[in-house]
Amino acid sequence: MMIRAGRMAVVVSVALALAACSSDDGPGHAASAPPASVAPSPRTSGGGSTAPAGADRAEAERVVRRFTDALNAGDEDGARESLAEDARFDSVGRIYPSRDDIMNDFLIPEVLQANGGYRVVGERWNGGRYIVDYEFTTGGGGRERFYYDYLIRDGLIRDVVGRYS
């Protein structure tokens, strides 16, 4: 019973933290704009805005599918392996600047330990970034809709911008 209450507390605190974030998410990010207007992060300038070729798109889509499947399976190692060591994740203004930070401070406590599940409800490309719309459900039944705007390079997730839809 204490574990379930703890999970719910994590979900509630995440929702409150996300709702309280300011609209200034740093250079290149739109806080509440629709997904198509998300600009690449500063790390992607100088090549991040061109659309990848068909084979590169297919590879990026496979990487994201592998990442999503790993999270849905509770596979910490699989999720970790999808992220570059210096990956950056911006979750509604909360910045995680490395794979270890992403996993230890975000995905493990807020997704894996919450028995969260991602359901893909849409996907599209915006320049060189692959955007996936999700419905996220916690083990306790909470639901959220958001998108992740991914930058994939060399078979790894390099940058993610996550926003509520």
Side-chain angles (χ1 to χ4, degrees):
M1 188 59 127
M2 290 297 290
I3 292 173
R4 181 165 276 149
R7 288 180 184 156
M8 188 52 122
V10 167
V11 171
V12 170
S13 65
V14 168
L16 290 173
L18 294 175
C21 290
S22 72
S23 64
D24 183 13
D25 295 330
H29 295 144
S32 58
S37 68
V38 173
S41 73
R43 300 171 102 185
T44 65
S45 60
S49 62
T50 60
D56 291 336
R57 279 185 176 209
E59 173 63 15
E61 292 169 6
R62 277 191 295 277
V63 169
V64 170
R65 195 167 28 257
R66 184 175 67 231
F67 177 67
T68 304
D69 290 347
L71 291 171
N72 284 339
D75 179 3
E76 179 182 330
D77 291 335
R80 185 180 302 276
E81 291 168 3
S82 299
L83 297 164
E85 188 174 334
D86 64 345
R88 176 184 177 277
F89 201 114
D90 172 349
S91 176
V92 194
R94 294 181 309 159
I95 308 297
Y96 303 96
S98 72
R99 174 177 56 207
D100 287 341
D101 291 327
I102 295 165
M103 293 302 300
N104 297 332
D105 298 336
F106 177 50
L107 294 176
I108 292 171
E110 296 181 25
V111 175
L112 298 173
Q113 290 177 348
N115 295 320
Y118 291 87
R119 184 172 67 89
V120 174
V121 295
E123 53 193 321
R124 63 202 166 283
W125 281 89
N126 182 22
R129 297 182 69 100
Y130 181 49
I131 302 169
V132 181
D133 298 297
Y134 294 104
E135 180 177 273
F136 180 77
T137 306
T138 66
R143 291 179 186 251
E144 300 174 330
R145 287 187 68 113
F146 51 84
Y147 64 89
Y148 287 164
D149 177 333
Y150 294 94
L151 176 68
I152 311 296
R153 293 280 188 266
D154 303 319
L156 294 170
I157 297 169
R158 303 290 175 166
D159 185 71
V160 182
V161 177
R163 298 292 185 263
Y164 283 112
S165 305

